[in-house]
Amino acid sequence: MEFVVKVARMSDASVNNPSYRLNTEAGPPQPKHKIFLSHSGAQKYFVENLCKALEDHHRFPFLDIRPRCLPKGERFPQHIFEAAQQCSLAVVVVSEEYFTSKWPIIELVEFVRARKSGRNPNLKILPLFMGLSVSEFSDQTRQEGWFRKWTKWAEDDPSMRINVADYKEALKEVKAFNGMQFHQDMRELASYQKNVVRIICQLVSPDVKWYDAHVQGGSNICEVYSEQISTIQPLGRHEVRVIGYYGVGGLGKTTMCKVLCNALALEFEDKVCHVEMAPNPSSSLKLLHLQEVLKKLTSTSEEVLRGLNEGECKNILCKSVSWEQPAFLALDNLWDDSASIEHARMFLQEAAFPEGSVVMVAARTLRTLEYLGIDKSQCFEVPELSKVDARNLFLYHAANGRQYVNKGDIVKIDECVLRCYFRKSEKQGWHYLPLAVKVLGMHLGSLGSDPKQWLESLPRVRDFDLHSSEENPVYGVIRLNYDRLTPMEQVLFMDIVCYHPDYRPWNDVDLLLREWLGLVHRKKWEEIGVQLRRLKDKGLLEDVDVTTGKFGMHDLYREFAKLEVQGKLKGGGFQSRRFVYANVHIPSELEMMPSGGVWENLIRVGIVQEGWDRDGDRGISSLQGVQWRYCSNIVVLKLERLYSLKGVLNLKGLSYLRSLELSDLFELGGVEGLEDLVNLTYFRWFSEDWLSEDAIRPHLGQLPGSLTVLEVEGVGATVRRDVFARCTNLCILALDYIRAQDGIDFGRCSSLQTLDLSQIEGLQELTGLRTECLHSLQIHSCDSLRGAGS
């Protein structure tokens, strides 16, 4: 969801005021350094430690020894003056040396001038009485000594233009601020520093937080939350308040969580955490969530957490001693599967939150929140965008901050935004959907900046009811962006949502995905990175990092892609389909001969069984009817969780196939017909579950010379000695739980770079293994292996 932060609310009647200007401009720039650490050299050790502690809390003060504050090769006085005049909080380390050293007192004068002149009237000064007690600081005789020192400076160096009156005024100003005194007991120094950090964190918001300057409606969401949380009583043994929010995908639950984490950071002294949930979370993801919560909300260090397993993290979570102060935890995007509910329940019912803590849970439906045990009275719909909020959100994405004052233009803009005003249900009224507003704004903005042109293009935007049998209006708006992609960009989008391999969580998923995309698309990563950035520019991806391969995507776009490849959105016959993703029944067309002899457009096929009833329907048991020779243009084939699939899979007809993934096909008898697939570069065949002793041992036929990556793991496959007779281009080979009674000849694998062998039955030697390219060799549990061959 995106909310208005910079734009004040106004009535709809204000639209008719000719003087009304849409305010899409940002507020005044924030100071580079919110905190200034002013000190003398005598207290440098304490100040350096204080600076490090503040940086650990995502506050980055101005400190003269930091290169980011005083860059090398530049005149330093100007940097000091600007930072002193613009900071929000001046931390003054009071000592005898402070008032008898030139630069510290000059900095103090700048703080006071900024306050008094009105340039920075809200600047606060926090005195830390380190070298002097409060009484010693106030001693008149001591201060008179400082006055004499300042007068002598002025006499000795007229060029410094020292104004002793300004110095005396600055001294009076320090007296007016309540400070913190250290009682000179070095055993208490660490505790004193900790309290100083805590006070500063209460006064100054963190420099590192989710970017929300673009968010529309943030002030409203905070007001609504404050009102609703005040109605909820603390519950449970830890007296924690739990609040739930629900709404459809694209309504802004994630944005709401992030906005509240930013807004509540001061109240909870940075003990805020946003956790993005996922359906059927894996053990590794659960551990990641636990580590994130413990790192941000408890006193547990990141170094300690790094070596802990899930059970050990849970133990810390449930101990009161781990928690120092109340915290705010946002569990976002909760799914309704049992694993997700159980995972979330752990935080709600077992975590030893201090009294005063708040846990917020966001889900798509009220029912999901109730599954978690949250009372209906504690659950609320996600606050909606007002008409003005929606208009400003649209203009942010369509007009890049341009202002519109013409009444006719504003009317046209509102008519465009009205296309994103959807009915929630027959009884619940209507609302603006932020994601749809954003997508529409990006689309119309690509046509220009004229509201008349925007309005004229609207007939191409289909307007359907949310509950009609036709395409959901949200997906209709999203389709505008999808249809603007080139055919290859559409393929890339579908690959990263639906057809990529399902890597195990402990693998380097980002690296493996980059390598797979390179093989399938036959492009260097730099070229694919350009396409990913294009997808981001067109609104389909978020936060693309080309260096690491990481990217984000809104759930609604994922759902759109999945419905699209299942053929549930866009009309048209099977002949025009490029993507097929079957999860219940195999499309009957795959068993037929098309009029032209081949399904010419079909390039991606996934057949994935979503569920399995052990006592009833065991799902798809055969693919014998599929005519693969009529699907010769398929580039990526993915068969997953077809637990009852029997017989031998012969894929001889797939002459353009580049990527093949077979997962959890427990009763499959074998895979054949691959040796002539001259385009196949990636083949992965694996099983997540441990097979029983009497499980089927499928056979794997010869492989093509084009193969670059081969992973056969956990399926108990039987291979012949010459299985790699053609594999001169094979670079990455991983074999696990394989039967090779006659051994394996690696002699033709001249390009092999990575070899991982585990539980290879019958492997007595590494016959013909060539090492000129090999840089990684791992062997585990190969009991028959005697040594490497020549």
Side-chain angles (χ1 to χ4, degrees):
M1 184 173 189
E2 306 209 14
F3 311 93
V4 174
V5 172
K6 303 298 181 187
V7 183
R9 286 185 170 276
M10 54 193 82
S11 66
D12 291 342
S14 64
V15 173
N16 299 318
N17 186 348
S19 64
Y20 164 56
R21 298 175 63 84
L22 295 183
N23 180 14
T24 56
E25 295 180 342
Q30 294 293 315
K32 183 177 180 180
H33 303 283
K34 298 177 184 176
I35 304 167
F36 191 114
L37 298 182
S38 183
H39 64 99
S40 73
Q43 283 74 42
K44 188 168 289 292
Y45 176 77
F46 167 78
V47 175
E48 288 180 6
N49 286 334
L50 176 61
C51 184
K52 176 63 170 62
L54 289 170
E55 289 169 344
D56 290 342
H57 285 75
H58 300 146
R59 274 84 173 169
F60 299 94
F62 181 94
L63 182 62
D64 52 13
I65 64 171
R66 291 288 193 266
R68 58 180 165 79
C69 301
L70 296 181
K72 301 298 183 183
E74 297 185 17
R75 293 178 58 82
F76 69 87
Q78 187 62 31
H79 287 286
I80 293 177
F81 292 149
E82 288 180 358
Q85 293 165 5
Q86 297 174 6
C87 68
S88 303
L89 178 67
V91 180
V92 175
V93 184
V94 177
S95 67
E96 179 71 26
E97 295 83 3
Y98 187 92
F99 295 104
T100 56
S101 303
K102 292 182 180 179
W103 269 108
I105 193 66
I106 290 173
E107 293 165 359
L108 180 60
V109 169
E110 290 301 320
F111 301 146
V112 174
R113 280 178 180 165
R115 276 182 54 82
K116 297 286 188 180
S117 67
R119 285 177 297 178
N120 192 358
N122 296 320
L123 187 154
K124 296 179 181 179
I125 298 176
L126 177 64
L128 302 182
F129 295 94
M130 285 286 298
L132 294 175
S133 67
V134 176
S135 60
E136 289 171 337
F137 167 74
S138 303
D139 181 72
Q140 188 64 34
T141 302
R142 184 183 299 272
Q143 291 189 2
E144 288 175 355
W146 298 340
F147 299 162
R148 289 192 296 272
K149 182 98 173 170
W150 300 341
T151 302
K152 190 171 188 307
W153 287 348
E155 293 172 351
D156 293 346
D157 191 358
S159 64
M160 285 192 66
R161 300 178 182 177
I162 293 175
N163 188 326
V164 176
D166 287 347
Y167 286 20
K168 291 180 178 180
E169 180 65 27
L171 191 63
K172 289 181 184 178
E173 196 73 12
V174 174
K175 295 180 183 178
F177 282 89
N178 190 19
M180 301 177 66
Q181 181 165 319
F182 176 60
H183 295 290
Q184 307 306 315
D185 185 348
M186 296 306 294
R187 294 172 298 180
E188 300 297 326
L189 184 59
S191 176
Y192 176 74
Q193 177 183 293
K194 187 174 182 180
N195 287 332
V196 171
V197 170
R198 186 171 183 179
I199 291 299
I200 293 175
C201 288
Q202 290 176 352
L203 295 172
V204 180
S205 61
D207 293 310
V208 177
K209 61 180 184 178
W210 181 67
Y211 178 75
D212 62 3
H214 65 291
V215 170
Q216 311 294 315
S219 56
N220 177 57
I221 194 66
C222 293
E223 292 172 9
V224 171
Y225 164 81
S226 297
E227 179 181 336
Q228 292 169 340
I229 196 66
S230 66
T231 67
I232 296 176
Q233 297 299 315
L235 298 172
R237 57 193 174 117
H238 297 300
E239 295 290 303
V240 175
R241 286 183 291 174
V242 178
I243 187 169
Y245 285 98
Y246 59 94
V248 298
L251 195 56
K253 298 180 292 296
T254 297
T255 300
M256 177 182 178
C257 290
K258 293 178 177 179
V259 165
L260 286 174
C261 281
N262 282 354
L264 297 173
L266 283 179
E267 177 183 339
F268 287 95
E269 299 178 24
D270 287 342
K271 298 300 182 183
V272 296
C273 182
H274 170 236
V275 174
E276 181 83 23
M277 308 294 278
N280 294 303
S282 63
S283 295
S284 59
L285 184 59
K286 291 178 184 177
L287 176 60
L288 187 67
H289 288 165
L290 278 164
Q291 291 173 332
E292 185 75 1
V293 170
L294 292 175
K295 180 178 70 173
K296 290 188 175 180
L297 303 186
T298 74
S299 57
T300 316
S301 70
E302 188 171 359
E303 290 74 18
V304 170
L305 288 172
R306 200 173 291 130
L308 301 182
N309 59 35
E310 183 180 348
E312 291 167 333
C313 286
K314 285 183 180 179
N315 187 46
I316 296 176
L317 187 78
C318 301
K319 288 185 175 180
S320 300
V321 69
S322 306
W323 302 78
E324 294 182 335
Q325 61 197 67
F328 175 81
L329 173 62
L331 300 178
D332 182 22
N333 202 22
L334 177 66
W335 297 78
D336 59 1
D337 59 274
S338 58
S340 298
I341 297 295
E342 180 183 358
H343 182 45
R345 189 174 287 132
M346 173 191 63
F347 292 107
L348 264 66
Q349 298 181 359
E350 299 180 30
F353 287 103
E355 184 177 348
S357 297
V358 173
V359 178
M360 170 184 162
V361 185
R364 295 203 169 187
T365 66
L366 174 61
R367 179 65 60 87
T368 303
L369 298 173
E370 291 177 325
Y371 285 156
L372 191 57
I374 304 177
D375 189 82
K376 188 175 181 180
S377 64
Q378 299 169 237
C379 300
F380 305 90
E381 291 189 53
V382 174
E384 300 171 4
L385 285 178
S386 69
K387 181 178 180 180
V388 174
D389 292 343
R391 180 196 299 140
N392 283 284
L393 173 59
F394 172 82
L395 287 172
Y396 178 87
H397 293 286
N400 295 320
R402 176 178 174 179
Q403 299 183 42
Y404 292 84
V405 296
N406 181 276
K407 178 181 176 181
D409 286 342
I410 295 170
V411 170
K412 293 182 180 70
I413 291 167
D414 284 345
E415 191 168 344
C416 291
V417 178
L418 194 61
R419 287 300 179 97
C420 300
Y421 193 56
F422 301 126
R423 185 169 61 175
K424 293 184 283 186
S425 72
E426 282 79 359
K427 297 181 179 179
Q428 294 186 33
W430 298 69
H431 66 174
Y432 290 100
L433 196 70
L435 179 61
V437 175
K438 173 184 175 181
V439 172
L440 183 64
M442 294 179 70
H443 172 71
L444 296 182
S446 70
L447 305 177
S449 57
D450 183 0
K452 180 181 178 181
Q453 186 180 15
W454 295 344
L455 191 60
E456 289 173 350
S457 70
L458 276 186
R460 295 196 296 272
V461 181
R462 299 170 68 187
D463 187 11
F464 298 119
D465 178 76
L466 271 170
H467 299 277
S468 73
S469 59
E470 296 185 276
E471 183 169 299
N472 183 301
V474 179
Y475 299 129
V477 175
I478 289 177
R479 180 172 296 285
L480 292 171
N481 272 16
Y482 176 75
D483 287 345
R484 287 170 56 213
L485 302 177
T486 66
M488 289 311 299
E489 287 171 348
Q490 290 180 347
V491 172
L492 177 61
F493 176 66
M494 291 304 181
D495 279 345
I496 61 180
V497 178
C498 301
Y499 295 103
H500 64 82
D502 292 322
Y503 297 113
R504 293 177 173 87
W506 54 82
N507 295 138
D508 187 344
V509 175
D510 299 317
L511 175 62
L512 294 174
L513 179 58
R514 293 204 307 266
E515 293 175 348
W516 180 79
L517 288 173
L519 290 173
V520 170
H521 290 260
R522 293 180 175 174
K523 292 182 178 179
K524 295 181 179 179
W525 173 246
E526 290 77 11
E527 297 174 85
I528 294 175
V530 171
Q531 289 185 309
L532 290 175
R533 276 195 289 259
R534 242 180 246 137
L535 292 179
K536 179 181 184 295
D537 293 340
K538 295 179 181 179
L540 282 85
L541 294 182
E542 303 285 347
D543 304 322
V544 173
D545 186 340
V546 176
T547 302
T548 64
K550 294 180 181 294
F551 57 85
M553 184 184 302
H554 194 283
D555 286 342
L556 207 55
Y557 283 99
R558 293 187 186 277
E559 290 186 9
F560 167 83
K562 291 175 182 178
L563 292 173
E564 176 75 3
V565 297
Q566 291 172 27
K568 294 182 178 180
L569 292 182
K570 198 170 185 178
F574 194 86
Q575 186 78 42
S576 64
R577 294 274 297 275
R578 303 173 69 207
F579 309 103
V580 166
Y581 201 92
N583 56 17
V584 179
H585 303 292
I586 301 171
S588 59
E589 290 86 348
L590 291 179
E591 301 179 350
M592 303 176 184
M593 184 178 74
S595 58
V598 64
W599 297 112
E600 186 175 353
N601 295 307
L602 190 60
I603 56 175
R604 299 289 191 274
V605 171
I607 302 177
V608 179
Q609 192 163 299
E610 298 290 352
W612 182 28
D613 183 0
R614 292 180 180 275
D615 300 321
D617 182 12
R618 291 171 59 87
I620 299 170
S621 61
S622 174
L623 296 177
Q624 294 298 324
V626 176
Q627 303 296 313
W628 296 114
R629 64 183 182 278
Y630 303 145
C631 306
S632 57
N633 289 336
I634 291 178
V635 175
V636 175
L637 176 62
K638 182 173 184 175
L639 306 179
E640 184 174 350
R641 296 196 293 277
L642 306 182
Y643 304 120
S644 303
L645 183 64
K646 298 178 177 62
V648 174
L649 185 66
N650 192 319
L651 302 175
K652 185 177 181 179
L654 300 181
S655 54
Y656 287 96
L657 189 67
R658 297 179 193 170
S659 173
L660 173 63
E661 183 180 29
L662 309 177
S663 170
D664 292 335
L665 312 182
F666 298 149
E667 299 186 23
L668 187 67
V671 179
E672 295 178 352
L674 303 184
E675 63 270 22
D676 295 322
L677 303 188
V678 296
N679 289 291
L680 184 64
T681 57
Y682 181 95
F683 178 23
R684 185 165 183 253
W685 184 11
F686 75 105
S687 173
E688 290 280 9
D689 294 337
W690 186 259
L691 300 179
S692 61
E693 289 293 331
D694 58 349
I696 294 175
R697 303 297 295 263
H699 68 272
L700 175 62
Q702 279 201 342
L703 299 167
S706 57
L707 201 60
T708 302
V709 177
L710 174 65
E711 298 175 7
V712 183
E713 301 177 327
V715 299
T718 300
V719 299
R720 293 173 50 183
R721 182 180 179 85
D722 62 349
V723 64
F724 301 127
R726 307 180 183 202
C727 297
T728 55
N729 292 300
L730 191 60
C731 296
I732 299 174
L733 174 60
L735 301 177
D736 172 48
Y737 190 34
I738 298 291
R739 177 179 290 172
Q741 296 290 27
D742 297 324
I744 300 176
D745 187 351
F746 297 96
R748 299 287 292 170
C749 302
S750 56
S751 303
L752 204 57
Q753 299 176 11
T754 300
L755 177 61
D756 191 345
L757 303 175
S758 177
Q759 302 183 88
I760 312 297
E761 180 183 337
L763 183 66
Q764 297 184 6
E765 58 183 10
L766 301 180
T767 305
L769 181 63
R770 301 168 67 169
T771 60
E772 55 262 41
C773 297
L774 195 66
H775 59 73
S776 175
L777 173 63
Q778 298 187 53
I779 301 175
H780 310 277
S781 304
C782 295
D783 299 332
S784 304
L785 186 63
R786 293 195 299 266
S790 57

